[in-house]
Amino acid sequence: MSDNGLADLKRRIEAVISEVRKTVDPALKKSADEIADLQRSLAERSRDTGALIESIAVTAGPGQTPPYSQPGGSHSVAEHTVAITAGNSDVRYPHLVEHGTADAPAQPFFWPGFRLGRKRAQDRIKRAISKSVREGWKS
C-alpha cells in the first residue's frame, strides 16, 4: 500500500469515528429516555407521593448522577454514555420499593423497565452506528 493509500485509509477511519460519535449520542439519549419512561410507568403502582417517579433520571455523559441515586450512588458518567438512576438526596428508598422489605412486598420497576426497553435500545444504537459507519466511509 502506498503512502497515499495509507493516508486515504487513515482519513476514512477518522471520518467514521467522527460520524459515529456524532450520531450515537442522540440514539443513546433517546433510548435512555424511553427506558426511563417505562420505569416511571411501572413505578406508578407504588405511587404514594410521586417522589420516586420524579426521581428517575437520565444523565448523559459527561455528567454526574444525582447523590444517593440507585444503583451505586453518585458517580461520573463518561462521554458517549448515559446512566439511568432512581433516587436522589430526598428519595433514598428506591431499592426498598424494588426489592421489598420484611413489611412491604417488592414492587419492581427499575430492572423490569430496563429489560423491557433493552432490545429496542440496542437495535436503535446498532442502526445508528451502522448508518454512521457507512456515511463516514463515503466521505
Side-chain angles (χ1 to χ4, degrees):
M1 186 179 276
S2 69
D3 288 338
N4 198 18
L6 189 59
D8 183 47
L9 178 63
K10 185 177 178 181
R11 181 188 54 77
R12 284 181 179 225
I13 290 172
E14 288 172 359
V16 166
I17 291 169
S18 173
E19 192 68 27
V20 167
R21 286 183 175 156
K22 279 192 302 189
T23 58
V24 79
D25 285 345
L28 285 169
K29 180 75 166 100
K30 184 173 183 178
S31 296
D33 287 337
E34 282 184 4
I35 291 172
D37 288 342
L38 285 169
Q39 293 169 332
R40 288 181 191 106
S41 68
L42 291 172
E44 277 295 326
R45 60 193 164 129
S46 67
R47 178 183 281 278
D48 186 19
T49 63
L52 174 62
I53 296 166
E54 293 169 7
S55 76
I56 298 173
V58 174
T59 306
Q64 191 77 14
T65 60
Y68 304 103
S69 60
Q70 300 291 322
S74 181
H75 66 277
S76 296
V77 180
E79 190 175 11
H80 308 300
T81 61
V82 292
I84 305 169
T85 56
N88 53 35
S89 56
D90 296 327
V91 180
R92 296 186 183 188
Y93 53 84
H95 61 290
L96 300 176
V97 174
E98 180 81 9
H99 302 292
T101 66
D103 299 324
Q107 298 176 27
F109 66 95
F110 191 87
W111 292 111
F114 171 75
R115 286 190 293 273
L116 282 171
R118 175 176 41 194
K119 176 77 168 111
R120 183 175 172 154
Q122 287 173 334
D123 291 345
R124 175 183 292 119
I125 294 163
K126 285 178 188 176
R127 278 192 311 273
I129 291 171
S130 296
K131 182 180 177 185
S132 61
V133 167
R134 284 191 303 272
E135 295 298 318
W137 192 257
K138 288 178 186 176
S139 62

